[in-house]
Amino acid sequence: MIRNVAGSVLALIGATAAVWSPFRAWYDGRHGSTYRIGDLFTGVTDARAGVLGSILLPFAFAALVTLVGVVLRSRLLVALAGLVVLGFTVLWMVRVGQAEGSLAVSGDGHGLNDGVANALGGGVLLLIGALVMSGRPRSHRLPAEPPPTRPTLDGPPPTGPPPAGDAETRSMPYAAPGRFDVPVDPPRERPDRDAPPGA
């Protein structure tokens, strides 16, 4: 939780710095919002661009992606926003270096200005924020429960060896357990024919 909060704060600061950077001076006092986004692919010229057609557009898109990433706690989206900011800033530096012959840094307002530093710092903060964030918690799947067993008339199957005399029981499944001996009356004594009557 704390990592998500800290990472989100860093990401929001980085996105704010990136969006604010085009309104600062980038090179020789020229603001970043005056560089046309198409010049980044064809070559930097002296033509001025409108705000919506300037380098502000990819930075505003990166800020929007950052907001979505913070709400969803997605490290991937925040890192993507950082790569967009750094990618367009480096591409601008390459095109300006080609147009000027070299990139200069001086303290009297000539060469690279603080707008580039804001853009680079914002992109780095976005990447750091993505690294600090812990992301969304992963859901642990519980093992699937076995299907319920239906009761039967015979009951659960036996697990051990069959008891003695069980063969006779299994041959008569609807009879009571045990041996089935039919009781027989005891034999009567036959009278002796040679005995006198009344004996």
Side-chain angles (χ1 to χ4, degrees), residues 15 35 56 61 128 130 136 149 157 196:
Y35 289 96
L56 174 65
F61 172 75
I128 294 176
R136 301 179 66 179
T149 57

Side-chain angles (χ1 to χ4, degrees), residues 4 13 22 24 35 54 57 62 65 71 73 95 107-108 114 127 133 155 177 189 195 199:
N4 279 329
I13 293 175
R24 307 288 296 174
Y35 289 96
S54 69
L57 185 60
V65 173
V71 171
R73 291 182 290 179
R95 292 304 185 186
D108 56 356
D114 57 350
L127 293 180
M133 292 175 64
E189 295 182 2

Side-chain angles (χ1 to χ4, degrees), residues 77-88:
L77 290 178
V78 175
L80 176 62
L83 292 177
V84 169
V85 172
L86 290 178
F88 276 92

Side-chain angles (χ1 to χ4, degrees), residues 35-47 88 91-92 94-96 98-99:
Y35 289 96
R36 295 187 305 180
I37 190 172
D39 291 347
L40 301 181
F41 303 97
T42 59
V44 175
T45 62
D46 293 334
F88 276 92
L91 181 60
W92 174 89
V94 171
R95 292 304 185 186
V96 171
Q98 292 175 349

